[in-house]
Amino acid sequence: MIVFVALVSMSALAVAAPVLARRLGRNAGYVIAAGFVAVAALLSTEWPDVLAGRPPGVSWPWLPALGVSFTLRLDGLASLFCLLVLVVGALIMAYCPRYLTPDGRHGEIYFLLTAFGGAMFGLVLAGDLVLLLVFWETTSILSFFLIASAGGKGERPATRALLVTGAGGLALLLAVVLIAATVGSTDIETVLAARLRVLASPVAPAIGGLLILAAFTKSAQVPFHFWLPGAMVAITPVSAYLHAATMVKAGIYLLTRFSTLFAGRTGWALVLIGTGLVTALLGAVLALREHDLKALLAYSTVSQLGLLVAAIGVGTTVALAAAILHTFAHALFKATLFMLVGIIDREAGSRDIRRLSGLMRVMPVTATLTGLAGLSLAGVAPLIGFVSKESLFQGFAGARVFPGSGVVTGALAVAASALTFSYGVRIFYGAFAGPTLQRLYEPSWAFLAPAAVAAVAGTVLGPAVTVLNPLVRRATLDVEPWERPPHFSLWHGFSAELLMSGVTIGIGLVLFLARAPVDRALQRLPSPVGEKVFDSIHQALIRLGNVVGRPDRRDSVAAFLARPVAGVVLLGAAGLVLLGAPPDLRVADGPADRVVLALLTASVIGVAAARSALAAVALLGAVGLVVTVWFLLAGGPDVALTLLLVEILTAMIAAFVLRDLPRRFPRTTRRVRLAAGVAAALAGLAAATGTAALTGRGEPSAAGEFFLRAAEPRTGGRNVVNTILVDFRGLDTLGETSVLAAAALGLLLLPGVARARAGLGPGPVLGPARRLFVPVIGVLSAYLFLRGHNEPGGGFAAALVGGIAIAFGALVGHRSRVGPPRSRAMPFLSAGLLLCSAVGLFAMALGGPFLTPLTATFTVPPFGAVGLSSSLLFDLGVYLLVFGLLVTAVGRLGGEMSVASEVSAR
Amino acid sequence: MTAAVAVGVLVAGGVYLVLCPGLVRVTFGFVLLGHAVNILLVTSGGLTRRAAPLAGSGDPAQMADPLPQAFVLTAIVITFGITVYLLALAGAEHHGEPTGPEEPSS
């Protein structure tokens, strides 16, 4: 439970960060740092359980249907990463106040940094793969925003980082799906325990490959390394926290975690060792040729991550323990270096390593701290970087992937470390030796303190590395419970790794002493092209998307629709061929059906051939009437009633619109008519055969039988169709009426057309007719609504009748009560949606599922027992929504006439 | 059988109108296609039993399947909503309002 409280506290800190920043300005960082420390202290109460191998945690069902749970688990490995996130986080937060400008708004930066801390914290605590994925993606997104906060120059790097890490996130998602399908669980503990089952499955290589891909993108391995140096446009706290100490370690965490499954597998080992060492060497070379300290540190991070990946690839318990220790050590000295570079940049106005010279005489404290961290990076005794590097060497020398692999990997690791030594010593040299170039002053102690704490910790933890032993041993045991993890100590005798350290320092010294010719040689190397390659691939993809989408981006609707129509016809034809069996045409046809079909065919041909707009409207209405009759014959009085009303309204609204349009449709060429005709004939043929083939059933459907049987006993309504709409499938109806609300909103948002036209006032016939009809129609609407549950009618039909009254009013030129559409229609729409939702929520409040109908019976003296169902209220909501749409439509399309006619009357 | 032919006729008419120039005709084609789909839905419930599904009004064994009717009922109203929207678009287009897709940027 403490683990959960810690995660909640981190979220609370993130929410509080902007508020704190508004109150305290840049000093908010101190409060947040204290918060981080408090969370760490809270977690440390679980320390004994963690070290004893009884990981504390919580687990609640989250998506029970998928077996996904909200599980947090604090084992040794998670503890070690939590320590990094919280301790380095606290240092960075304490560093921010003096780094950020005194004025200015820092709420956003503090929020993003703290939220990132929380996400990273969740990532390492997650005991379920889906939860891990959520936090993983959150860190990518927050990283994007933090890089982008650098302004215009951060735009491209932020995009690159997001796309690369986002692609890795997709790979992780695929891996999670494959794992869930193989193991049947997303619980990490269960998955890791099912090692043999995973390895025996045919998708094991895919799982391993996808996990590697995810880790490589996040941890900046070749060829995805380029985003990390680009991310250095962000402010120094971001670089130190995300892009040196924590987020880029997420990939390391993932690989370490899944070493339980894959450690020792040849493919896994070869890919990790190969890529890791190439990254380590390339990163080190690129770091050595950089003069910008921040870029140097970025490439150095790439290089060190490569070493870590390679060590994890070796997979022995010694190598894994070394990787875990080095992750810790690296976070410590790299964050220190970043903080100090930020300080030097502020004080000296430059980050050029060549200008960093003779610092000892003008900024003794800064110089000492920089020198210490630089030596730790270089791997010089007795700093922590020395211990972790020695143990890495020990791990590499013990590689057993192929014969002689220990020698090869050991030699390459030594080469990369020699380069690292060389630029580490350059930093040290700049701090302590050389001529003083500038008159500089020591920064305030508050600015230096966080870096000082980290630098001193890195120094003390070298000799005192045994303090870390219990945690690192526990973490290693969590990964490979079947092994006996090693003990670390500063001095462990004259061993192979000591010799390797000696060689490293020797080569490194030579490289350092010959730095002028080395520099010249390195500058002649081609510059890295990763960003350019990525950008050109990105551009090519966007161009490809343009090419694919081009046929659909044109004004002609026909060209736009022709291909989907052809596709549907082809699909239908293919379906019929595959279906094979000839259609069963036992469907009973009455004589009336043939008459209806003949009328239908004639009127459809009429609509298609009509050139006069008004004739087309009339013939479209005729088609609608014939279809209405068809529904009546098929036994659907409700459907027929609704369609009839809709046809009347469609004709009215079409009339409104057509007033302003040309009387005749645009002329079509013979070619267009022919092409459209052929397509139409084929589509019609496909539709007819498809219908015949698929609808030959004679027996009633099980669902239909159920509704016929259960409607009256369960709902009290006799109109089965209406009970389906408002009682059984209320959620569907709610969704469908929401579409109507959306259509109404769309109408309201269409640009208005201001025009004046000569309107006819209410004529001698229509004027009195309106006064007579409108109240009658209103009563009819209410009647249809109230009887809907038992007889044909209901909210849809009743609202359509009400809409006819409105439309009629507009048609005869009466300045109806419709008024301006925006103000008049909105209450109906919102009341309808709110009423429908409230009915559903009320049922939930009473403990039933959403939209459960509630029925109550009252005794009203003259009528006896009267049943009242909440579905009536729901139907009222439907009524209001449909009515709202009609008010909108009439107000929008018919309203102008009435206004215009008033204008002309003056 | 007549139902299948009716669907075919409506689809043919609808597709023809949709492929013709002018948004009003496209809208009318859309209405015809809506009719076709609605008839298809009701047909899928079977046309051998044709009594209205009103409980207590007769033999349940002769009643039409109510479920497709419920689908079609809402479909009719939604089709209407979209028809109105398309007609409004046609009107706006005539008055020179930019309603079409934007020009491709490249």
Side-chain angles (χ1 to χ4, degrees), chain A residues 79-161:
Chain A
S79 302
L80 200 125
F81 277 89
C82 283
L83 200 62
L84 279 188
V85 172
L86 294 173
V87 171
V88 177
L91 291 173
I92 301 292
M93 289 302 177
Y95 173 80
C96 278
R98 297 278 84 78
Y99 177 85
L100 296 171
T101 48
D103 45 351
R105 308 172 75 86
H106 303 303
E108 190 185 325
I109 282 287
Y110 275 127
F111 166 74
L112 289 171
L113 274 175
T114 317
F116 169 80
M120 192 67 206
F121 190 68
L123 193 161
V124 296
L125 280 178
D128 189 283
L129 286 170
V130 176
L131 193 61
L132 178 122
L133 180 73
V134 170
F135 284 122
W136 178 280
E137 296 288 45
T138 312
T139 61
S140 291
I141 292 165
L142 290 171
S143 160
F144 167 78
F145 282 117
L146 282 167
I147 301 171
S149 67
K153 66 181 191 301
E155 195 182 316
R156 280 307 297 167
T159 310
R160 287 187 203 112

Side-chain angles (χ1 to χ4, degrees), chain A residues 34 49 73 119 145 213 304 340 370 417 447 485 498 536 543 621 628 671 682 705 734 810 881:
Chain A
D49 274 349
R73 197 176 291 124
F145 282 117
L213 194 61
Q304 298 286 307
L340 289 166
T370 313
S417 300
F447 201 179
L498 192 66
S536 55
R543 273 199 302 277
T628 304
R671 222 181 99 246
L682 285 175
E705 293 253 285
L734 180 60
L881 270 167

Side-chain angles (χ1 to χ4, degrees), chain A residues 407-501:
Chain A
V407 177
V408 175
T409 54
L412 289 172
V414 166
S417 300
L419 293 164
T420 309
F421 178 88
S422 180
Y423 63 75
V425 173
R426 277 193 192 192
I427 298 173
F428 176 80
Y429 175 83
F432 281 94
T436 306
L437 298 176
Q438 278 170 292
R439 185 74 225 146
L440 297 173
Y441 299 96
E442 203 75 77
S444 69
W445 66 268
F447 201 179
L448 269 177
V453 170
V456 170
T459 314
V460 173
L461 279 175
V465 71
T466 42
V467 184
L468 294 174
N469 267 330
L471 187 55
V472 176
R473 279 175 60 81
R474 186 65 247 166
T476 316
L477 270 178
D478 286 333
V479 181
E480 295 192 341
W482 56 85
E483 291 279 2
R484 285 171 48 82
H487 276 278
F488 296 110
S489 53
L490 180 62
W491 177 251
H492 37 87
F494 292 98
S495 52
E497 52 271 21
L498 192 66
L499 180 70
M500 290 161 83
S501 278

Side-chain angles (χ1 to χ4, degrees), chain B residues 71-98:
Chain B
F71 291 156
V72 167
L73 204 124
T74 46
I76 287 172
V77 182
I78 290 183
T79 311
F80 172 67
I82 295 170
T83 307
V84 170
Y85 186 68
L86 284 175
L87 282 172
L89 274 184
E93 186 188 54
H94 178 71
H95 290 281
E97 297 293 342

Side-chain angles (χ1 to χ4, degrees), chain A residues 689-743:
Chain A
T689 20
T691 310
L694 297 172
T695 56
R697 62 183 303 148
E699 74 282 5
S701 72
E705 293 253 285
F706 165 79
F707 287 124
L708 285 174
R709 206 174 50 245
E712 198 179 5
R714 291 215 188 172
T715 68
R718 286 192 300 278
N719 183 354
V720 183
V721 174
N722 187 265
T723 63
I724 293 176
L725 288 176
V726 299
D727 293 298
F728 290 108
R729 310 287 313 162
L731 191 61
D732 291 354
T733 310
L734 180 60
E736 282 146 3
T737 45
S738 308
V739 176
L740 293 183

Side-chain angles (χ1 to χ4, degrees), chain A residues 29-52:
Chain A
Y30 292 125
V31 182
I32 300 170
F36 275 41
V37 171
V39 172
L42 184 68
L43 276 191
S44 68
T45 57
E46 300 277 24
W47 205 246
D49 274 349
V50 172
L51 289 184

Side-chain angles (χ1 to χ4, degrees), chain A residues 561 593 635 666 701 718 736, chain B residues 18 25 50 55 65 69 74 94:
Chain A
L561 288 175
D593 287 343
S701 72
R718 286 192 300 278
E736 282 146 3
Chain B
V18 159
R25 265 195 288 205
R50 294 192 176 201
D65 197 330
Q69 292 193 15
T74 46
H94 178 71

